[in-house]
């Protein structure tokens, strides 16, 4: 099933997506589990269908949010596909797993505007299509063979980056306000299938810029979850972005960075398509 978080008539909610509509959870269900994260923490996702109202809202009438509101962690994997490093003149050790974090407010939902940086930062604002996994069951020190049992579902991400600021630090380049997006919803593992079989395509203004399969990850998702769980406790709703393949603007010659009004689409075959437009810069 597909589960979305949204705002409708100034009220936050969540519910089941079917085609072009969403069935919100009932007021009684919301009283018990006010967010999708709360529902995951209570392990009641299986009760969601029975907890939804019968009246559907058209997706065009709601404002979609990132699927998990305020996750405890957004963990991102770098250098997880064979590709040139997208920051010229900066050497990076890539023999092991590269991890960094993003602040929750750096990511917006489907159809929301991406904030164009100002000044020199605007010259190297890049797109990065990725497959995202969402943790459904708390885990610590999990083995790779058991790792996928802790994943509740998947989503798409544009892990927007300011390459020039990555020369200052990875954190700086990856944490510009509203520079990335994820969604459009959470597709549960049973419907999404294994990440290795997922087809990832990124388009900018309709032109295909990235095209790969999840099977081409250097470090697969079970290995990543195991690694992260030995570092920290993974909680329900935690987000793991699995890395971006070749074709980003910074890895091209000449570079192809984003401009105001560009439209970025990240499509994952069994999940859906995340779409966002780059805003005009502030005057």
């Amino acid at each position: 099933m597909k589960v979305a978080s949204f705002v409708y008539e100034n009220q936050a909610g969540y519910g089941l997506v079917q085609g072009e509509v969403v069935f919100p959870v009932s007021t009684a269900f919301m009283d018990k589990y006010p967010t999708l994260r709360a529902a995951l923490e209570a392990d009641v996702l299986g009760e969601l269908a029975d907890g939804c109202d019968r009246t559907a809202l058209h997706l065009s009438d709601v404002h979609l949010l990132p699927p998990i509101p305020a996750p405890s962690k957004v963990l991102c994997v770098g250098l997880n596909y064979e590709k040139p490093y997208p920051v010229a003149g900066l050497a990076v050790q890539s023999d092991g797993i590269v991890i960094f974090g993003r602040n929750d407010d750096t990511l917006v939902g489907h159809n929301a505007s991406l904030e164009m940086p100002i000044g020199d930062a605007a010259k190297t604002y890049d797109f990065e299509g990725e497959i995202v996994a969402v943790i459904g069951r708390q885990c610590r020190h999990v083995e790779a063979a058991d790792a996928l049992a802790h994943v509740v579902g998947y989503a798409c991400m544009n892990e927007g980056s300011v390459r020039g600021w990555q020369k200052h630090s990875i954190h700086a380049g990856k944490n510009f306000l509203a520079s990335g997006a994820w969604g459009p919803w959470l597709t549960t593992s049973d419907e999404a299938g294994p990440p290795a079989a997922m087809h990832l395509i990124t388009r900018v203004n309709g032109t295909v810029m990235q095209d790969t399969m999840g099977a081409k990850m250097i470090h697969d998702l079970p290995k990543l979850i195991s690694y992260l769980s030995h570092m920290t406790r993974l909680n329900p709703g935690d987000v793991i972005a699995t890395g971006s393949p070749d074709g980003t603007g910074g890895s091209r010659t000449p570079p192809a960075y984003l401009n105001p009004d560009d439209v970025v689409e990240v499509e994952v075959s069994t999940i859906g398509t995340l779409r966002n437009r780059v805003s005009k810069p502030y005057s």
Side-chain angles (χ1 to χ4, degrees):
M1 61 182 172
K2 295 179 173 66
V3 190
S5 296
F6 58 86
V7 172
Y8 177 70
E9 294 185 344
N10 297 318
Q11 295 293 319
Y14 62 101
L16 293 180
V17 175
Q18 294 183 7
E20 296 299 316
V21 301
V22 58
F23 292 87
V25 296
S26 67
T27 301
F29 200 89
M30 282 276 291
D31 287 343
K32 291 182 180 179
Y33 318 109
T35 66
L36 179 53
R37 176 179 169 182
L40 294 180
E41 290 172 340
D43 194 23
V44 295
L45 200 62
E47 302 174 21
L48 204 62
D50 291 336
C52 285
D53 286 336
R54 296 291 181 259
T55 302
L57 303 174
H58 200 278
L59 285 173
S60 62
D61 293 328
V62 303
H63 171 64
L64 288 175
L65 302 171
I68 306 297
S72 73
K73 289 180 283 295
V74 180
L75 299 168
C76 304
V77 183
L79 304 177
N80 203 23
Y81 291 84
E82 294 292 343
K83 66 176 184 179
Y85 187 60
V87 181
L90 191 61
V92 173
Q93 176 65 37
S94 60
D95 292 342
I97 296 175
V98 176
I99 300 293
F100 56 91
R102 287 192 72 124
N103 300 330
D104 183 44
D105 63 3
T106 69
L107 299 166
V108 300
H110 177 67
N111 277 336
S113 293
L114 301 169
E115 184 176 295
M116 186 71 188
I118 64 172
D120 285 343
K123 299 175 183 177
T124 59
Y125 180 35
D126 206 353
F127 57 89
E128 296 191 71
E130 306 197 18
I131 298 166
V132 163
V134 177
I135 297 296
R137 293 169 48 208
Q138 187 180 97
C139 59
R140 183 85 167 108
H141 301 125
V142 68
E143 296 302 319
D146 303 319
L148 291 186
H150 296 269
V151 175
V152 66
Y154 300 88
C156 314
M157 180 179 283
N158 171 22
E159 208 260 299
S161 307
V162 177
R163 302 303 190 188
W165 282 52
Q166 281 185 243
K167 294 182 179 182
H168 309 163
S169 68
I170 293 178
H171 184 86
K174 298 290 188 172
N175 278 281
F176 273 64
L177 184 70
S179 56
W182 78 286
W185 39 68
L186 173 73
T187 300
T188 53
S189 299
D190 58 331
E191 183 171 328
M198 294 178 186
H199 187 186
L200 169 66
I201 298 175
T202 306
R203 302 179 184 87
V204 177
N205 301 327
T207 299
V208 173
M209 306 295 277
Q210 296 177 285
D211 189 341
T212 196
M213 299 297 296
K216 293 187 177 180
M217 292 180 196
I218 297 170
H219 308 291
D220 65 16
L221 183 59
K223 180 180 178 181
L224 295 174
I225 292 172
S226 178
Y227 177 88
L228 290 167
S229 77
H230 282 77
M231 177 185 78
T232 188
R233 181 178 63 235
L234 297 176
N235 299 313
D238 281 358
V239 178
I240 301 173
T242 57
S244 193
D246 194 15
T248 57
S251 64
R252 292 173 174 269
T253 305
Y257 293 121
L258 293 171
N259 295 296
D261 286 331
D262 282 348
V263 175
V264 182
E265 295 175 305
V266 180
E267 178 183 349
V268 179
S269 54
T270 58
I271 297 170
T273 301
L274 171 71
R275 182 180 300 104
N276 300 89
R277 184 181 296 273
V278 180
S279 71
K280 296 184 184 298
Y282 290 99
S283 56

